[in-house]
Amino acid sequence: METIMNTESIGTEEYVARSAGTEAAMRVRELSVSYDNKETLHKITTEFPKHCITSIIGPSGCGKTTMLLSLNDLIREIQGVKVEGEILLGDKRTDAIPQEELRRRVGLVFQTPMPFPFSVYKNLTYAPRYYGNHNKKDLDRIVKEKLALVGLYDEIKTDLNKSALKFSGGQQQRICIARALTVEPDILLLDEPCSALDVRSISVIEETLLRLKSQYTIIIVTHNIAQARRLSDKVIFLKDGRLIEEGDAAGLFREPKEAETREFLRGIYG
Amino acid sequence: MHIRGLFTKIWAYTGIIVVSVVIVFLFAFVFWKGGSTITWEFLSTPPAGLVLGSEGGILPAITGSLAFTLTAIVIGAVPAISTALYLVFFCKSRRMESMIHLVIQCIAGIPSIVLGLFSYSLFVRDLNFGRCILSSGIALGIMVLPFIEVRAEKTFRELNPAMIQSAYALGCNKTHTILTVVLPACRGELFSGIILGGCYAMGATAPMIFTGAVAFASNPTSLFEPAMALPLHLYLLVAQGHTSLDMAYGTAFVMMAVILISNVLVTMYARRRQREWKQ
Ligand SMILES: Nc1ncnc2c1ncn2[C@@H]1O[C@H](COP(=O)(O)OP(=O)(O)O)[C@@H](O)[C@H]1O
Ligand SMILES: [Mg+2]
């Protein structure tokens, strides 16, 4: 718990220090998304600073998942979706980047841990192999490195050939995070990654994310305000598909400017 | 309210019991009647006798049925699974989707004898294939196509979308994802759908009688020759009346045994895969 408290304050200072100078890893301008002509996101404009953790919070159904899926274009796999506005990765519009490259550079971890029904080893080498890496030594190194990054290597190094589905929920979720990292993304999106997990796994995953942020830009959707407080450098509050308020985490949680944000935060605290 | 619940319960249990009894009785009856006919000779020799089939065995009918079934499975399953993949993973237009569903339902609604007639006039006559395993296999393949497609589509749709999207999110393209994640994850269910479709084809007589199944033939060696088939053989034996009735029960026994065993094996296989990879 203590480490988490510490990192929170460090994270905040980092954000304040950087937000003046650092460029955004990703930017969104006037993004609107509709399902079957029902507009779900309305003209969202925001940015995600590099090497920071940005949390997206808001009541359920407000469009958080839709937002994440838009960022790496997975939204287009859904029937009847229309996307307007622009999304920039670095300073390039995402629609000018080949879809597969975009998805490789913007990884996504889902709400329920979803390893492939193979062994852990095969899960982690799945993507590198797809990109043509068949060097056994190299693959072994990747598996070890990425599992170590999520703090799992020592825990499961003897079970690499076991089905990934046989591990606990928390372990599976970390396997999924490690798998997402095997393609060296710039940005890691996480959609309520802890909502199906127990308290202990949650704190392990939070530590993992805090460790990862020095190498990756992280965007996390969470319905857990306490978690957002512990992790975030920046917070974005959505409601009914509109961006109500955004800002650095410490400031926003201490004194939210908008009445709706206050209400939401108060509602959660009871 | 309580009474109504009780009534529903009684109703349900009675239903289960009646159905189970009928099924068990059916199997027991056939196995009891046919069991005594089953000898190694019956299974391993061709039919013989003055009235054909009153003596000898049913070997060419077994091998013939297997040949028809295998051909039907290949011809039916490939387009069926492709269609299911297209509908679930590629089709973006709802209209196209419902149109394809309509077509599939129509195929499922075609009486099998009409499929036989179609195959007869197109393949046997016009394209000059003659009566052969392939002509029947096509008719049977069309017959099992909707059967396999519906099951395959259901399996694909039940797959957690997040699993597929996880692969997309790694930058993998659809084809690769389908080949390496979807198909392996669904292997058990697909396999069982195909085998059950095969059992369905094995029991069907109508699509074969004009197109490839004959009263007597030797073991099949090529797709372009006619062959014997268990259900047709059974029909002919019964049609001959008393002389061959025991043989008919024996044939029925073999057919039901093949189907039952396939079903059990497939269920076991699907279960084992499930256990291997899931909790
Ligand atoms: N595939 C879909 N088709 C139609 N509507 C959808 C779909 N996915 C989400 N929606 C709708 O969009 C809104 C936002 O959903 P979502 O982004 O999942 O919210 P959140 O993740 O914040 O709970 C909801 O009202 C939901 O009903
Ligand atoms: Mg959601």
Side-chain angles (χ1 to χ4, degrees):
Chain A
M1 222 42 206
E2 208 176 44
T3 51
I4 292 171
M5 298 301 263
N6 282 339
T7 13
E8 182 195 322
S9 53
I10 292 169
T12 317
E13 282 160 21
E14 250 173 31
Y15 173 72
V16 175
R18 276 176 184 165
S19 55
T22 43
E23 76 270 49
M26 225 173 178
R27 259 185 293 250
V28 168
R29 273 193 215 132
E30 305 255 300
L31 174 72
S32 298
V33 178
S34 48
Y35 295 104
D36 297 316
N37 298 321
K38 194 185 108 222
E39 196 160 87
T40 298
L41 287 182
H42 311 275
K43 303 219 163 148
I44 306 274
T45 299
T46 185
E47 57 180 48
F48 304 97
K50 220 173 208 174
H51 297 294
C52 287
I53 298 183
T54 303
S55 298
I56 303 177
I57 59 173
S60 78
C62 69
K64 303 181 295 293
T65 300
T66 305
M67 177 97 177
L68 284 195
L69 293 177
S70 310
L71 293 180
N72 74 350
D73 215 33
L74 270 172
I75 194 86
R76 285 191 211 276
E77 303 304 325
I78 300 169
Q79 270 185 352
V81 164
K82 204 166 115 213
V83 182
E84 282 167 305
E86 62 177 16
I87 303 172
L88 295 122
L89 177 60
D91 42 19
K92 218 167 165 194
R93 284 180 62 124
T94 53
D95 44 16
I97 303 173
Q99 198 179 51
E100 289 172 24
E101 189 195 325
L102 172 66
R103 289 178 183 172
R104 186 189 64 72
R105 290 175 58 191
V106 185
L108 175 60
V109 173
F110 291 86
Q111 186 163 359
T112 37
M114 200 45 71
F116 299 136
F118 318 134
S119 68
V120 177
Y121 186 87
K122 232 181 135 191
N123 262 279
L124 291 188
T125 54
Y126 178 84
R129 265 197 261 233
Y130 174 74
Y131 292 106
N133 188 345
H134 294 285
N135 182 331
K136 175 89 173 72
K137 245 198 201 143
D138 221 21
L139 293 176
D140 287 350
R141 181 188 55 77
I142 292 175
V143 171
K144 182 171 173 184
E145 192 181 298
K146 300 306 171 192
L147 282 179
L149 255 182
V150 297
L152 205 54
Y153 184 70
D154 291 323
E155 220 170 305
I156 66 168
K157 64 182 166 198
T158 52
D159 292 328
L160 293 182
N161 288 317
K162 225 167 96 176
S163 163
L165 295 167
K166 293 211 164 126
F167 292 89
S168 76
Q171 288 173 324
Q172 287 189 26
Q173 194 60 299
R174 281 188 287 159
I175 291 172
C176 290
I177 296 175
R179 183 182 61 190
L181 299 179
T182 58
V183 292
E184 302 298 345
D186 305 332
I187 297 175
L188 188 61
L189 311 175
L190 301 113
D191 190 358
E192 306 195 16
C194 298
S195 64
L197 305 180
D198 59 286
V199 182
R200 159 101 193 92
S201 309
I202 291 176
S203 77
V204 174
I205 288 197
E206 286 179 3
E207 282 165 31
T208 304
L209 293 179
L210 288 168
R211 207 160 353 102
L212 289 177
K213 102 176 159 173
S214 59
Q215 292 178 51
Y216 306 93
T217 299
I218 295 175
I219 304 173
I220 179 172
V221 164
T222 174
H223 59 206
N224 180 340
I225 299 297
Q227 181 173 59
R229 289 191 95 143
R230 289 192 295 265
L231 292 176
S232 337
D233 302 305
K234 174 175 176 172
V235 179
I236 296 173
F237 174 57
L238 295 183
K239 195 180 166 210
D240 297 332
R242 287 172 212 284
L243 193 155
I244 305 293
E245 186 170 354
E246 61 176 327
D248 80 280
L252 190 140
F253 284 125
R254 199 174 336 109
E255 39 187 336
K257 292 190 188 65
E258 302 295 325
E260 280 171 302
T261 319
R262 267 198 299 278
E263 227 165 75
F264 178 70
L265 294 179
R266 194 162 350 105
I268 296 289
Y269 293 129
Chain B
M1 284 310 110
H2 189 70
I3 303 238
R4 196 193 276 179
L6 194 70
F7 182 74
T8 318
K9 226 179 207 169
I10 291 172
W11 178 262
Y13 281 123
T14 320
I16 292 170
I17 290 167
V18 168
V19 171
S20 319
V21 165
V22 168
I23 290 174
V24 169
F25 177 74
L26 197 108
F27 273 85
F29 183 76
V30 171
F31 284 0
W32 173 64
K33 284 275 208 178
S36 54
T37 326
I38 306 295
T39 58
W40 177 241
E41 197 206 336
F42 183 71
L43 295 176
S44 65
T45 57
L50 216 55
V51 179
L52 190 72
S54 58
E55 287 164 34
I58 56 167
L59 179 67
I62 298 175
T63 53
S65 261
L66 290 178
F68 282 120
T69 306
L70 217 66
T71 318
I73 284 178
V74 172
I75 290 174
V78 173
I81 291 175
S82 313
T83 308
L85 285 173
Y86 172 75
L87 284 175
V88 178
F89 298 105
F90 293 94
C91 184
K92 282 274 162 63
S93 131
R94 295 238 164 87
R95 188 186 269 170
M96 185 70 167
E97 188 182 316
S98 49
M99 227 164 72
I100 294 176
H101 277 144
L102 188 71
V103 170
I104 301 246
Q105 270 166 22
C106 287
I107 297 177
I110 300 175
S112 57
I113 188 88
V114 175
L115 286 175
L117 187 65
F118 158 75
S119 173
Y120 174 73
S121 59
L122 182 62
F123 299 107
V124 178
R125 303 270 312 263
D126 295 352
L127 295 177
N128 235 343
F129 285 10
R131 288 174 134 216
C132 66
I133 295 174
L134 186 61
S135 305
S136 293
I138 294 171
L140 290 168
I142 299 173
M143 187 183 84
V144 298
L145 190 149
F147 185 93
I148 300 177
E149 196 280 335
V150 169
R151 276 163 184 72
E153 191 181 328
K154 182 162 170 283
T155 309
F156 295 145
R157 288 206 197 277
E158 277 171 2
L159 206 61
N160 194 320
M163 175 131 80
I164 298 145
Q165 295 191 338
S166 297
Y168 293 164
L170 293 167
C172 299
N173 66 27
K174 267 187 196 171
T175 315
H176 185 79
T177 305
I178 288 170
L179 291 177
T180 55
V181 176
V182 176
L183 291 181
C186 299
R187 187 154 60 198
E189 283 92 341
L190 287 180
F191 190 62
S192 81
I194 291 173
I195 297 297
L196 293 177
C199 292
Y200 176 33
M202 183 172 274
T205 330
M208 304 194 295
I209 50 181
F210 321 123
T211 54
V214 290
F216 184 77
S218 48
N219 291 324
T221 52
S222 124
L223 282 179
F224 290 96
E225 59 188 36
M228 290 181 69
L230 287 168
L232 180 66
H233 189 62
L234 174 66
Y235 167 77
L236 295 174
L237 289 175
V238 176
Q240 283 160 12
H242 267 311
T243 35
S244 317
L245 212 54
D246 286 345
M247 296 299 201
Y249 279 117
T251 311
F253 179 106
V254 171
M255 232 163 88
M256 284 172 77
V258 169
I259 289 173
L260 199 66
I261 290 171
S262 318
N263 272 306
V264 170
L265 287 181
V266 154
T267 314
M268 270 165 49
Y269 174 75
R271 285 257 174 80
R272 222 195 52 215
R273 272 198 62 77
Q274 194 111 17
R275 229 192 0 254
E276 235 169 75
W277 291 111
K278 299 182 184 137
Q279 287 73 13

